[in-house]
Amino acid sequence: KEHRQNMTSIIESIDEHIINNIIQSRSLYNVAIDIGPSSSSNKSEVGTIKMSDRKIWDNLRDYGTLTGDNAIEIGLIDELSLIDPLDSLLIDAKEKNKRKIRKKSRKRRKNGNGIGGDSSSTSTSNSITDDDNSEKDELNYFRAEKKISLLEYSSLLKKKSKVEETKWKIRETMDTLSRKSSMTETVFGILGYSAPNFNVDEDDYNKNSWKINKEKIAVVNITGAITDSIATSVIQTLRKIKDDKNVKCVVLRVDSPGGSSTASELIHQECKHLPQPVVCSLSNTAASGGYYVAANADRIFALPTTVTGSIGVFGIKLDMSELASSYGVNFDCISTGIHSTANGPFQPLTKKMEMNFSRNVDRVYDQFKQVVASGRSLDLDYVQLVAQGRVWTGEQAKEIGLVDELGGISRAISYAKRNHTSDGDADVEMWPKRKTLMEKISKLLGDNSDGKGMLLFNIIWDEAISLVSDNGDERQNPTSNFESDLFVRRLLADVMINGGVDQLYHHALGTHSIKGGPHANILLTMNETDAISMMLKD
């Protein structure tokens, strides 16, 4: 009964939030609808329904699926379109922009031919008025002329940001070098770049110059069940962030129904000992272990419909002894104590085992409540009231103190920038970072602890360089060769299909003359196992 009440309150809270959002976004406060002909005449009458009335929405659900016409009638949509209107809108906008350009061009020619002060003044005045009207007209039609996918748009923004970053870093480097050496400053001046700001407006330089040590916000995602492998990955990421002095705040993005209590505790402890403050953003779900890792954050953000809480612990004991016995399978073992085989699937649950399991569950539960009480600055008795495994929506969680603010990831990042950076601005980095080509190759080749991956990469790269320098139609153009990384890809594909690291060593070393040539003085080092393996293969 209590579980049903809890789930009912969750569903009703989410449902009410969705309805309120629809009413506000569509301005559905009072909707006029056609209620059919009146009893006194054949004319249709118009009635008004109050969409804030809960009974209206209950009736809509009872009715079932709505047609497009039904949805228009009550204001859920604006109009019906049998085809995608985007292409037509793009063509229309392109034509209107062309006409606008031609119109402005004619006005400029007309203004340029004006004679006399009065005529020129009148012409200018008309031009300004027309421009103002033109600006107003612009708001009345679709302006875009080209469609682009979200992935392409995101890629363009990243490239643009990278170009800007590189440009300003170069200028800042030039400034630094010039300060160290007057000769360098003179050389830059000869090349057309005058110190101190190298042909960039001083205010613009100070405002937009990307600093080498620009402050950063790190966003770390915890997605899915919190297992030991997830915990290991997150902890490795957090330890890398810990060593980055430019990271001023960590935003933990949690979308997890929970998982292992041990894994959750490990992540919680790692976050607790970070030198940077931690802000947490709860996604669709952050329950049980998902809330455990967030509880100690400086600030917790959640969506109104986020499912969170579930402060509770349970344990499962699998007992397949009767099932095995029904098929004539008997299981027995020799152990040093009654709890040694407690987790075995063919070991029946005894009372002493049950007592031990209960103690462990209670111990973890008490620890969970203590983490919440400490992290949220709440009284332990109060935590006991809101715990007991109950789940809450983000809106409910805010009311009872489990969440600080309602909002998504953007609001959490804005809070981190505003409160934990020097000027309210910072780069946002997603962690873990994408691996470079060298890192990917090293991972394919195996353990890099002894420098094997780096050595192989250098040999492959040198081989590619030698191919480019050879005579031949394709090999004389380094750009065409390296843009596709053709040699590297073919070589790695051959290795993955035909052999492992040792074969690549053999192949790579075989293509280089150790006794002469560019690698005559190279010193190869490897561990004893690899050396013996190569010797035996030779």
Side-chain angles (χ1 to χ4, degrees):
K1 183 179 179 180
E2 291 179 354
H3 289 298
R4 189 175 188 86
Q5 289 175 347
N6 183 210
M7 291 308 300
T8 300
S9 69
I10 286 283
I11 293 172
E12 288 179 349
S13 176
I14 294 174
D15 184 50
E16 184 177 355
H17 179 77
I18 292 172
I19 290 174
N20 289 336
N21 275 354
I22 293 173
I23 292 172
Q24 292 174 15
S25 63
R26 301 294 304 162
S27 300
L28 300 179
Y29 300 104
N30 293 298
V31 177
I33 61 170
D34 186 354
I35 60 176
S38 65
S39 56
S40 58
S41 66
N42 291 328
K43 293 182 178 180
S44 294
E45 289 188 350
V46 176
T48 301
I49 59 173
K50 191 175 182 181
M51 294 300 289
S52 58
D53 187 350
R54 182 79 184 201
K55 292 181 180 178
I56 297 296
W57 294 93
D58 291 338
N59 291 336
L60 285 174
R61 290 196 190 87
D62 292 340
Y63 180 79
T65 306
L66 299 175
T67 65
D69 290 327
N70 297 148
I72 285 179
E73 188 178 8
I74 61 176
L76 293 179
I77 63 175
D78 295 308
E79 59 180 85
L80 291 175
S81 177
L82 299 179
I83 59 173
D84 184 357
L86 182 58
D87 290 332
S88 299
L89 288 169
L90 291 171
I91 293 171
D92 184 50
K94 191 176 293 185
E95 289 300 319
K96 286 186 177 180
N97 283 337
K98 285 181 180 178
R99 290 198 296 269
K100 177 184 172 186
I101 292 171
R102 288 196 295 267
K103 185 177 179 181
K104 286 186 175 181
S105 179
R106 286 196 298 270
K107 286 178 182 177
R108 283 196 297 269
R109 289 197 297 270
K110 182 179 177 181
N111 293 340
N113 294 331
I115 302 174
D118 293 340
S119 174
S120 176
S121 177
T122 303
S123 177
T124 304
S125 176
N126 290 336
S127 175
I128 294 172
T129 304
D130 288 340
D131 284 343
D132 289 343
N133 291 333
S134 176
E135 290 297 324
K136 291 179 181 178
D137 290 342
E138 281 186 25
L139 301 175
N140 296 327
Y141 68 88
F142 190 78
R143 300 189 210 178
E145 295 184 8
K146 180 182 176 182
K147 61 181 177 182
I148 185 172
S149 71
L150 187 59
L151 288 175
E152 288 178 285
Y153 180 67
S154 176
S155 177
L156 287 174
L157 288 180
K158 287 180 181 178
K159 287 179 181 178
K160 182 180 178 181
S161 175
K162 197 70 178 177
V163 169
E164 286 295 313
E165 180 180 356
T166 303
K167 180 180 72 175
W168 288 105
K169 279 186 177 181
I170 290 173
R171 280 175 167 78
E172 187 170 5
T173 302
M174 292 170 71
D175 183 43
T176 303
L177 292 174
S178 295
R179 292 176 186 275
K180 291 182 178 179
S181 169
S182 58
M183 178 63 73
T184 305
E185 183 178 344
T186 303
V187 171
F188 285 148
I190 294 172
L191 295 175
Y193 296 95
S194 302
N197 298 318
F198 304 98
N199 303 343
V200 178
D201 179 74
E202 184 175 357
D203 292 336
D204 187 42
Y205 183 88
N206 294 332
K207 180 180 179 181
N208 297 305
S209 179
W210 290 75
K211 298 178 182 179
I212 300 298
N213 298 322
K214 186 171 176 64
E215 295 179 331
K216 296 182 288 188
I217 302 294
V219 178
V220 180
N221 288 288
I222 300 177
T223 306
I226 301 177
T227 60
D228 291 341
S229 60
I230 291 292
T232 300
S233 175
V234 172
I235 289 170
Q236 288 176 349
T237 298
L238 292 175
R239 287 179 180 175
K240 290 178 182 178
I241 292 173
K242 182 189 294 187
D243 296 331
D244 191 340
K245 295 180 180 180
N246 294 330
V247 175
K248 300 304 177 182
C249 182
V250 176
V251 176
L252 211 61
R253 177 67 167 172
V254 181
D255 188 2
S256 170
S260 164
S261 58
T262 304
S264 301
E265 172 65 18
L266 289 172
I267 296 174
H268 165 74
Q269 287 295 333
E270 197 66 35
C271 291
K272 191 174 179 180
H273 292 92
L274 279 175
Q276 301 95 336
V278 177
V279 173
C280 195
S281 170
L282 309 185
S283 185
N284 297 316
T285 307
S288 191
Y291 187 77
Y292 194 113
V293 301
N296 201 60
D298 292 46
R299 200 78 173 170
I300 299 180
F301 291 79
L303 298 170
T305 55
T306 296
V307 176
T308 188
S310 189
I311 303 169
V313 181
F314 68 91
I316 296 176
K317 168 67 173 83
L318 181 62
D319 183 3
M320 299 177 63
S321 57
E322 291 186 9
L323 176 65
S325 180
S326 66
Y327 284 93
V329 177
N330 296 316
F331 178 83
D332 202 357
C333 70
I334 299 173
S335 65
T336 55
I338 58 174
H339 299 295
S340 300
T341 59
N343 291 318
F346 299 105
Q347 180 65 50
L349 183 66
T350 65
K351 286 189 176 181
K352 288 188 176 181
M353 288 181 184
E354 185 178 356
M355 290 174 60
N356 187 47
F357 279 127
S358 296
R359 281 196 302 269
N360 290 335
V361 169
D362 290 341
R363 191 180 297 117
V364 176
Y365 182 41
D366 291 339
Q367 172 67 16
F368 195 168
K369 289 185 290 184
Q370 187 62 52
V371 165
V372 174
S374 174
R376 303 300 302 157
S377 300
L378 298 172
D379 184 74
L380 195 58
D381 293 334
Y382 177 75
V383 173
Q384 171 63 26
L385 293 176
V386 300
Q388 304 175 48
R390 290 192 62 180
V391 290
W392 310 89
T393 64
E395 204 164 30
Q396 292 173 329
K398 183 177 182 298
E399 293 175 359
I400 62 176
L402 296 181
V403 165
D404 295 302
E405 294 186 40
L406 297 180
I409 182 67
S410 297
R411 190 165 182 183
I413 292 172
S414 297
Y415 174 86
K417 287 182 178 181
R418 190 171 58 252
N419 291 276
H420 298 297
T421 61
S422 59
D423 58 358
D425 186 30
D427 286 340
V428 179
E429 289 187 341
M430 303 300 295
W431 287 75
K433 294 180 179 179
R434 294 181 62 182
K435 288 183 171 60
T436 63
L437 175 62
M438 184 180 293
E439 290 171 335
K440 289 179 181 178
I441 291 175
S442 297
K443 185 175 181 181
L444 283 174
L445 300 177
D447 181 24
N448 192 34
S449 59
D450 57 356
K452 182 191 300 182
M454 180 68 73
L455 171 63
L456 288 173
F457 183 87
N458 289 335
I459 293 177
I460 293 170
W461 188 256
D462 289 340
E463 176 67 14
I465 291 290
S466 66
L467 287 174
V468 174
S469 62
D470 288 343
N471 292 328
D473 295 335
E474 292 185 7
R475 296 177 181 178
Q476 287 182 353
N477 186 354
T479 304
S480 63
N481 200 321
F482 283 103
E483 280 184 346
S484 61
D485 289 324
L486 188 59
F487 170 78
V488 176
R489 292 185 184 186
R490 284 179 179 174
L491 183 56
L492 288 177
D494 179 65
V495 171
M496 286 186 284
I497 293 171
N498 299 317
V501 176
D502 291 332
Q503 181 167 341
L504 180 56
Y505 259 116
H506 188 72
H507 173 78
L509 294 176
T511 58
H512 292 73
S513 174
I514 303 301
K515 295 180 180 179
H519 298 284
N521 298 322
I522 190 170
L523 174 64
L524 298 180
T525 61
M526 61 189 72
N527 59 38
E528 184 177 302
T529 304
D530 287 335
I532 294 173
S533 177
M534 286 187 63
M535 181 184 69
L536 292 175
K537 287 185 178 181
D538 287 340

